[in-house]
Amino acid sequence: MAYSCTDFTDDVLNDLIMRGWIERIRVKPEDTQGQATLVLGAIAEADKTLQLAADAKQFHIELLGAVETLTGVEEQYGALTLAYIVYLQMAIVRGTSIEVYPDSARKLSFVRALPSGERWWKHVIEVGEPA
């Protein structure tokens, strides 16, 4: 028995459903254009997620190139700055930002000196002091 285009399509759709990348309810069996749109959308979303993960990995590589160890961050800048580094890396993974007070922003500002520092700093928002 030959493996058909329909078999291939079904396998791809079932795999993406199993991974949670598309919802089964959105797949209309007779709508091949709609199926293609769902698959291409899932691929685009996966690509975005992979790029964000690659960015976070690059941030970590640059960070360790500058400070050698994470304990070195804590020793030189304090535990709170080390915590902000972890939060910053998660913000990079998620494509979001962290909020820091001015004093913390000053301590964290060594991130700007990293090779891609301005790129990473876009994930940092300086907010006013607490009331």
Side-chain angles (χ1 to χ4, degrees):
M1 182 159 95
Y3 190 73
S4 70
C5 289
T6 302
D7 294 332
F8 175 77
T9 301
D10 289 345
D11 286 348
V12 169
L13 288 168
N14 287 331
D15 187 71
L16 293 176
I17 290 166
M18 180 196 69
R19 294 171 189 273
W21 291 4
I22 59 176
E23 298 172 339
R24 181 174 300 280
I25 195 166
R26 296 187 63 205
V27 177
K28 307 295 185 229
E30 301 305 318
D31 182 6
T32 55
Q33 180 63 51
Q35 292 172 357
T37 299
L38 288 173
V39 169
L40 293 174
I43 291 169
E45 189 63 30
D47 184 57
K48 178 181 170 188
T49 300
L50 289 171
Q51 184 57 56
L52 291 171
D55 289 350
K57 180 180 176 183
Q58 184 63 37
F59 169 74
H60 194 76
I61 290 168
E62 290 180 16
L63 175 69
L64 291 182
V67 297
E68 294 185 20
T69 66
L70 293 177
T71 54
V73 172
E74 191 273 334
E75 290 168 0
Q76 189 169 355
Y77 302 101
L80 183 59
T81 302
L82 177 57
Y84 278 127
I85 288 293
V86 173
Y87 298 144
L88 177 56
Q89 187 169 16
M90 289 309 302
I92 293 167
V93 165
R94 293 182 178 136
T96 60
S97 300
I98 62 171
E99 294 181 350
V100 297
Y101 295 118
D103 184 55
S104 295
R106 281 189 292 283
K107 290 179 182 176
L108 192 60
S109 67
F110 71 91
V111 166
R112 295 180 101 159
L114 297 175
S116 304
E118 291 305 317
R119 182 173 158 201
W120 312 133
W121 198 254
K122 290 177 184 176
H123 295 276
V124 177
I125 298 170
E126 191 174 332
V127 296
E129 291 292 342

